[in-house]
Amino acid sequence: MPPEVHSILGASAADRWMNCTPSAQLTAGMEDETTTFAAEGTAAHALCEWKVRKALKMRAGRRPTSDYWTDEMEEFTDDYRDFIMDLVGQAKQQCKDPVTLIEQHLDFSCYVPDGFGTGDFLLVADKELNVVDFKYGRGVAVYADHNPQMMLYALGALNLFDCLYDIEQVTMTIFQPRLSSISTWTITAAELYQWAEEVLKPKAELAAKGEGEFVSGSWCRFCKARNTCRARAESFLELAKMEFQPPALLSDEEVAEVMEKADELSKWANDVMAYAQAEAIENGKHWNGYKLVEGRSVRKFSDEAKVEAAAKEAGYTDIYNKSLITLTAFEKLMGKKTFADVLGQYVTKPAGKLTLVPVSDKRPEVSVNTVNDEFQED
Ligand code: SF4
């Protein structure tokens, strides 16, 4: 992977600086946050890159190593590689020599001052450009439809290829395996250029100068100012002041209105609490009415080898718990085909836990009657 360098108006933050144009300059001097999730994502990306390079018979170097490696990561990065190889296979049916690029630096500075980003995978075949982004997050599903990050990557890729290949159509895909989500959207190159001139450029100019209105929304989630941003706080305090009319019980419409706002409200409250706690722990900050205490801790052995020896010495032999290797380990051991032949009949994928989400969520709706019927058949 190329070294991590960030542009103030980078593609990954485009949803934020396009909706809240002053946010880019406000947060420009703030320290980058390093989170376990980000480090885990970087490890998964490195593994994806290596696997795709190998599958495409490109120079791949040594397999990357990481403390974040898990069976799950192995499986999801395999899925990504298989998805990419299917895409390349389909492209080869239309065009003899499709062009593939991995972890490509993409420059879209003709629309966004100093704007650049890195595209996970690009494929050009028969006047069509494919841009694929791998996301390892499992918090919120991200969709390709009108996604500004993907559109910026696509513009950067057009910048590289359009004069050579006369691209007419761009297909963007976000591959998010932990949410079983593959989201794809297609737009013509002409429409993309029009959006770049009419929507992107004016917003980027404001953002570069730190001008425009502070506007809070879902894009605040990864903003470095989110814990102490006044505009965000004000918007939530407005929500908390929602006024309900008599009678005494809330109507269905009012319950729906509360649900619509509660999710964002609770995320904001959690962000502020996490910020205050981190300040108290890391910088000794005192908050009126609050104190630091030790939470519950779980007992564990300091040295398992010594525990084993001491227990045996004391005459205890029944101290081992044999367990079967994992499903992924079996699949690796047998290979996908034999695994499917020998053990496929024993593999089940239980239905996920039912969750109430906003209608904008792209997952298909589940009918409660269907779920109950299935339950009764068991
Ligand atoms: S927290 Fe939200 S409203 Fe505040 S600066 Fe960041 S993006 Fe804008």
Side-chain angles (χ1 to χ4, degrees):
M1 286 181 81
E4 269 192 70
V5 184
H6 297 291
S7 152
I8 289 184
L9 301 183
S12 55
D15 187 35
R16 181 167 71 246
W17 58 254
M18 286 189 68
N19 280 293
C20 175
T21 50
S23 64
Q25 288 298 351
L26 178 75
T27 56
M30 293 182 182
E31 222 174 284
D32 279 336
E33 297 165 32
T34 45
T35 63
T36 312
F37 301 123
E40 195 185 36
T42 305
H45 268 86
L47 200 50
C48 281
E49 177 182 357
W50 182 79
K51 287 185 179 181
V52 173
R53 281 190 187 280
K54 268 195 86 184
L56 289 171
K57 303 197 181 348
M58 293 165 128
R59 263 174 66 162
R62 294 171 77 108
R63 182 188 157 104
T65 52
S66 163
D67 291 343
Y68 293 97
W69 184 89
T70 58
D71 272 0
E72 192 190 36
M73 187 181 287
E74 190 69 39
E75 198 173 325
F76 288 146
T77 50
D78 276 355
D79 291 347
Y80 172 75
R81 178 208 49 214
D82 295 347
F83 174 78
I84 296 291
M85 295 313 291
D86 279 352
L87 212 59
V88 174
Q90 285 162 27
K92 280 186 175 161
Q93 289 174 5
Q94 319 287 332
C95 150
K96 213 171 101 246
D97 257 334
V99 177
T100 53
L101 290 173
I102 301 166
E103 290 292 326
Q104 176 62 39
H105 177 86
L106 298 170
D107 186 319
F108 42 84
S109 56
C110 48
Y111 304 104
V112 176
D114 300 325
F116 63 86
T118 306
D120 290 339
F121 181 77
L122 306 177
L123 171 73
V124 184
D126 197 26
K127 300 197 173 203
E128 178 165 358
L129 164 69
N130 262 283
V131 182
V132 183
D133 192 48
F134 175 84
K135 292 204 185 292
Y136 201 55
R138 64 168 146 217
V140 180
V142 187
Y143 303 111
D145 194 336
H146 288 91
N147 182 301
Q149 177 181 10
M150 298 305 289
M151 291 165 92
L152 286 178
Y153 287 154
L155 286 167
L158 284 177
N159 206 13
L160 285 176
F161 295 123
D162 201 11
C163 54
L164 296 173
Y165 297 95
D166 199 13
I167 290 160
E168 289 174 0
Q169 188 162 281
V170 184
T171 295
M172 303 162 211
T173 301
I174 296 178
F175 189 91
Q176 200 172 3
R178 283 169 128 184
L179 292 176
S180 309
S181 173
I182 302 176
S183 169
T184 296
W185 182 57
T186 299
I187 185 174
T188 64
E191 284 168 325
L192 193 57
Y193 283 130
Q194 188 182 357
W195 173 82
E197 287 297 336
E198 294 174 7
V199 181
L200 174 63
K201 242 181 171 178
K203 294 271 185 194
E205 273 164 26
L206 283 177
K209 289 189 260 175
E211 293 175 358
E213 296 287 319
F214 283 100
V215 180
S216 70
S218 56
W219 47 86
C220 297
R221 205 160 164 251
F222 297 109
C223 179
K224 284 185 272 181
R226 68 185 179 279
N227 301 316
T228 49
C229 170
R230 183 168 302 280
R232 191 170 183 229
E234 280 171 358
S235 75
F236 284 118
L237 294 174
E238 275 308 304
L239 286 184
K241 279 194 258 163
M242 269 172 67
E243 280 183 18
F244 297 110
Q245 306 300 322
L249 299 179
L250 298 184
S251 67
D252 287 358
E253 289 73 28
E254 286 169 330
V255 170
E257 197 181 342
V258 171
M259 285 201 300
E260 191 193 326
K261 293 168 179 173
D263 191 33
E264 284 298 310
L265 193 58
S266 76
K267 276 184 205 146
W268 171 67
N270 288 339
D271 282 350
V272 175
M273 287 301 291
Y275 162 77
Q277 181 167 295
E279 282 291 297
I281 294 170
E282 286 156 26
N283 302 323
K285 169 103 183 163
H286 176 75
W287 302 98
N288 280 344
Y290 284 83
K291 63 179 179 183
L292 283 176
V293 295
E294 262 193 23
R296 182 175 170 272
S297 75
V298 179
R299 292 183 308 159
K300 59 180 187 180
F301 291 126
S302 57
D303 185 330
E304 290 202 356
K306 285 185 182 158
V307 168
E308 193 180 343
K312 278 188 189 161
E313 174 86 28
Y316 292 92
T317 51
D318 191 17
I319 57 173
Y320 300 100
N321 228 345
K322 276 192 192 157
S323 61
L324 208 56
I325 60 173
T326 63
L327 186 153
T328 310
F330 262 121
E331 200 170 37
K332 246 182 141 174
L333 180 73
M334 298 176 160
K336 282 197 173 177
K337 191 175 174 311
T338 313
F339 174 80
D341 292 345
V342 179
L343 297 179
Q345 59 183 313
Y346 305 116
V347 176
T348 58
K349 197 163 187 297
K353 198 173 150 209
L354 292 183
T355 318
L356 188 63
V357 296
V359 279
S360 56
D361 191 288
K362 299 272 167 81
R363 283 170 287 180
E365 183 167 8
V366 176
S367 150
V368 173
N369 292 338
T370 316
V371 173
N372 287 343
D373 288 352
E374 280 173 12
F375 184 71
Q376 278 160 15
E377 277 167 23
D378 279 348

